Amino acid sequence: MKRFVVLAPALLLLSGCSSNWGWYVVDPTTTSGWNNLKFMASGMYYTIGMSVTAILMSVVVGLLVAMPGLSARHGWRMFNRIYVEIVRSVPVLVLILWVYYGLPAVSGITLNVFWAGVFALALSDSAFQAEIFRAGIQSISKGQYEAAQSISLNYRDTMRYVILPQAIRRILPALGNQLVYMLKMSSLVSVIGMQELTRKANELVVSEYRPLEIYTVLVLEYLVLILIVSAGVRWLERRMKASDT
């Protein structure tokens, strides 16, 4: 098994030398190949911008939706449950299409492709964020609440200064996973014309007729991007653990 893992990349490179493969379209040593690579990489700006904006919005909305789920009142808990179940049940691609094409017909609000993608991604992810925050807050022991009450902190300050800082440390890996998920799901926004990584690759395939080579580069682009994000999340986890000690 180990020998196969070592030999697999070498076999892939050797097969790439076959005359049936057209790696020249993404060969950085040629002018056309370098231009194609720059064209594909130009979608990185929109992929990162859309994903980061959407994850920030979904975290805020998710936290606001999670709070009613912790209430002692049945009505507030029902609001949380209905929101989570409905939003979580709609596929991301369907939600993107509905926001871009359906929202103007229903409300008269027209969004450009960037904000339609951000809104759809943030809305879809907010249901998952709400469950992550709810689980993280519920994992904090009741003693923390009692300690906050003993020094006369109200509910808002208790959440702000005592509960949420501890909960965020516990749910940070899950939040990192959602950012990775958001980066991958941003590729679906290409269906409405967003000029992100996947859309750029699709346009290049239409002009060059080399889907295998171009989509292989696309896979590597997402791989590098997600590995960087994962390394950043792990670094943040270590920093938080160091600050605790």
Side-chain angles (χ1 to χ4, degrees):
M1 182 63 182
K2 293 182 179 179
R3 184 176 299 176
F4 173 78
V5 172
V6 173
L7 292 177
L11 292 175
L12 181 60
L13 291 175
L14 289 175
S15 63
C17 298
S18 170
S19 59
N20 295 326
W21 289 41
W23 290 107
Y24 62 88
V25 297
V26 289
D27 185 356
T29 62
T30 65
T31 301
S32 61
W34 179 245
N35 289 335
N36 288 339
L37 288 174
K38 289 196 298 183
F39 177 79
M40 293 182 65
S42 64
M44 189 79 71
Y45 171 80
Y46 292 104
T47 293
I48 296 174
M50 183 169 52
S51 300
V52 172
T53 305
I55 196 70
L56 292 176
M57 290 176 60
S58 68
V59 166
V60 174
V61 175
L63 179 59
L64 294 176
V65 173
M67 301 309 293
L70 303 170
S71 175
R73 297 182 179 181
H74 178 71
W76 285 115
R77 294 199 307 273
M78 283 300 298
F79 165 77
N80 170 273
R81 183 50 49 196
I82 292 172
Y83 180 92
V84 169
E85 293 300 334
I86 291 177
V87 175
R88 194 167 55 180
S89 300
V90 181
V92 179
L93 179 58
V94 175
L95 193 57
I96 292 171
L97 294 173
W98 188 89
V99 168
Y100 188 67
Y101 295 107
L103 189 61
V106 173
S107 63
I109 300 175
T110 302
L111 301 175
N112 60 34
V113 290
F114 178 84
W115 287 108
V118 167
F119 182 76
L121 291 173
L123 181 61
S124 176
D125 190 59
S126 64
F128 297 94
Q129 296 287 358
E131 290 296 274
I132 291 172
F133 274 107
R134 184 176 65 84
I137 293 172
Q138 287 180 334
S139 69
I140 306 300
S141 65
K142 292 183 179 180
Q144 298 295 318
Y145 293 91
E146 295 171 355
Q149 291 175 357
S150 67
I151 57 175
S152 302
L153 291 181
N154 56 31
Y155 180 78
R156 184 184 64 181
D157 289 340
T158 299
M159 282 292 173
R160 180 180 178 183
Y161 296 112
V162 179
I163 304 303
L164 283 179
Q166 297 181 68
I168 289 175
R169 285 183 173 86
R170 297 186 180 186
I171 66 176
L172 185 60
L175 294 179
N177 286 338
Q178 288 304 113
L179 178 55
V180 170
Y181 171 81
M182 190 72 73
L183 285 168
K184 294 192 295 184
M185 290 301 103
S186 67
S187 63
L188 297 176
V189 188
S190 63
V191 300
I192 59 174
M194 186 66 204
Q195 294 294 315
E196 42 72 61
L197 288 173
T198 303
R199 181 75 179 190
K200 292 289 187 178
N202 290 336
E203 292 179 356
L204 194 59
V205 167
V206 171
S207 62
E208 296 288 352
Y209 303 103
R210 287 292 180 178
L212 177 60
E213 296 82 357
I214 293 170
Y215 287 137
T216 298
V217 174
L218 179 63
V219 169
L220 294 176
E221 287 179 320
Y222 277 108
L223 178 62
V224 171
L225 186 59
I226 290 173
L227 287 177
I228 292 173
V229 170
S230 299
V233 172
R234 292 192 183 94
W235 174 82
L236 189 57
E237 287 183 49
R238 291 193 297 269
R239 287 294 301 271
M240 286 190 169
K241 289 180 179 178
S243 63
D244 289 340
T245 56

